[in-house]
Amino acid sequence: MRQALRSVFIWVCIATITSSMYVVGLPVFLLTAVFDPLRVIGHRYATYWGRMMFYLNSRWSCRVVHPERVPSNRAFVVVSNHEGVADIMVTYHLDLHFKWISKASNFFVPFMGWFMFHAGYIPLRRGRRDSVRTAMGRARDYLERGVSVLFFAEGTRSLDGIVKPFKPGAFRLAIEGQFDILPIAIAGSANAIPKHSWKFSEERTPMKLVVGEIISTKGLTESDLDALVERSRNVVIELKAEGDAMIDRELGRSAPQHASRPVPAT
């Protein structure tokens, strides 16, 4: 009962804060749209919202590991694993202006989805080639204009914490435009809200965003695509293992509680 009441309270607070922030921010978005084509203001506002969620839920915490690996003057194809509903809020701790690709239905969620629209994020209708082409075209345009684009490279959320095989789209884009890849890994977010539940965990839930070394695509061609995909995935797996180990130590666990082992690509 305590967990349910606490979860209801948090969800009500999230809805109230999100709707209030949207009402306050909407005039700013509309007034600055012409002067802010890259939607810098929208992303900063969304970043503030995402970080606020961690203050709202005292059980959650987030730390960026190796933030010095993120240069501030370059755009990257950012690739990450995806293991929990809190992943986007975790990525907002990254000091980088980026856009992310999300399924189109999310943009119709009241207030939150409208936030995404004003921040310039990229909708994608899964299974529709025309939507994929449009999304990739927008992503390339952002990258060419100096804005990073974040991909959850598995294509969907992993329900068991294991990093699944990566989809090739982000990496094909990186090779075609010769954009370097910034691998990141999210650890701990799967426990933020237990699977198949709307209730927030009662346990302390530290999350880590581990930043990897830049992977250059200079001189790579389509023939290098598969190797680049697998190399990047293995890096993310190693980064996630690093984050998982930090969480285990922080919580005083004597044995690993996370699934970071690789799964052969298919």
Side-chain angles (χ1 to χ4, degrees):
M1 178 63 71
R2 176 181 174 180
Q3 182 184 16
L5 291 175
R6 179 174 172 272
S7 297
V8 169
F9 174 76
I10 293 174
W11 281 119
V12 170
C13 288
I14 289 175
T16 302
I17 290 173
T18 303
S19 57
S20 298
M21 286 185 65
Y22 182 80
V23 171
V24 172
L26 180 58
V28 178
F29 301 148
L30 297 177
L31 290 172
T32 61
V34 175
F35 310 101
D36 185 24
L38 298 181
R39 300 297 188 265
V40 176
I41 293 173
H43 178 73
R44 287 179 179 173
Y45 205 62
T47 296
Y48 180 69
W49 170 86
R51 296 183 183 185
M52 186 182 295
M53 297 302 105
F54 280 80
Y55 290 103
L56 180 62
N57 187 343
S58 60
R59 304 290 197 276
W60 288 5
S61 64
C62 182
R63 176 189 167 193
V64 178
V65 183
H66 309 307
E68 72 282 354
R69 292 176 176 174
V70 185
S72 59
N73 58 346
R74 297 170 58 187
F76 301 94
V77 172
V78 185
V79 295
S80 174
N81 63 311
H82 188 15
E83 68 170 28
V85 297
D87 286 349
I88 280 298
M89 289 173 274
V90 171
T91 62
Y92 282 140
H93 288 76
L94 194 64
D95 288 326
L96 181 70
H97 180 201
F98 64 85
K99 307 301 179 186
W100 51 283
I101 295 178
S102 176
K103 60 183 180 181
S105 59
N106 286 338
F107 286 76
F108 294 96
V109 176
F111 302 112
M112 187 192 76
W114 306 339
F115 254 132
M116 293 165 57
F117 171 77
H118 291 297
Y121 300 142
I122 304 171
L124 174 67
R125 290 180 172 84
R126 293 173 180 171
R128 289 185 50 175
R129 292 184 179 181
D130 58 334
S131 180
V132 172
R133 286 194 297 269
T134 299
M136 286 301 179
R138 287 192 61 185
R140 178 161 187 158
D141 181 63
Y142 274 128
L143 287 159
E144 290 175 343
R145 299 169 75 180
V147 179
S148 296
V149 179
L150 187 150
F151 292 81
F152 290 115
E154 295 157 285
T156 189
R157 176 186 172 189
S158 172
L159 295 179
D160 57 10
I162 297 173
V163 179
K164 299 295 190 280
F166 282 179
K167 303 295 184 182
F171 305 94
R172 180 173 286 111
L173 174 66
I175 288 176
E176 290 176 351
Q178 296 290 280
F179 305 116
D180 289 343
I181 292 171
L182 180 67
I184 64 174
I186 298 170
S189 65
N191 299 321
I193 299 178
K195 300 183 186 73
H196 311 301
S197 175
W198 58 272
K199 299 176 184 177
F200 291 87
S201 174
E202 284 289 279
E203 298 180 354
R204 187 161 64 93
T205 310
M207 303 177 220
K208 310 297 178 187
L209 191 159
V210 189
V211 182
E213 300 283 358
I214 295 167
I215 299 175
S216 175
T217 62
K218 185 176 181 180
L220 298 185
T221 64
E222 180 73 18
S223 63
D224 300 303
L225 177 62
D226 291 343
L228 178 63
V229 170
E230 195 60 19
R231 176 187 174 189
S232 301
R233 177 172 170 269
N234 287 335
V235 169
V236 171
I237 289 172
E238 292 175 1
L239 295 173
K240 183 178 184 299
E242 181 180 351
D244 287 340
M246 294 178 68
I247 292 172
D248 290 333
R249 290 194 296 270
E250 189 172 332
L251 296 178
R253 291 169 174 159
S254 58
Q257 300 293 312
H258 306 271
S260 296
R261 62 186 182 277
V263 174
T266 57

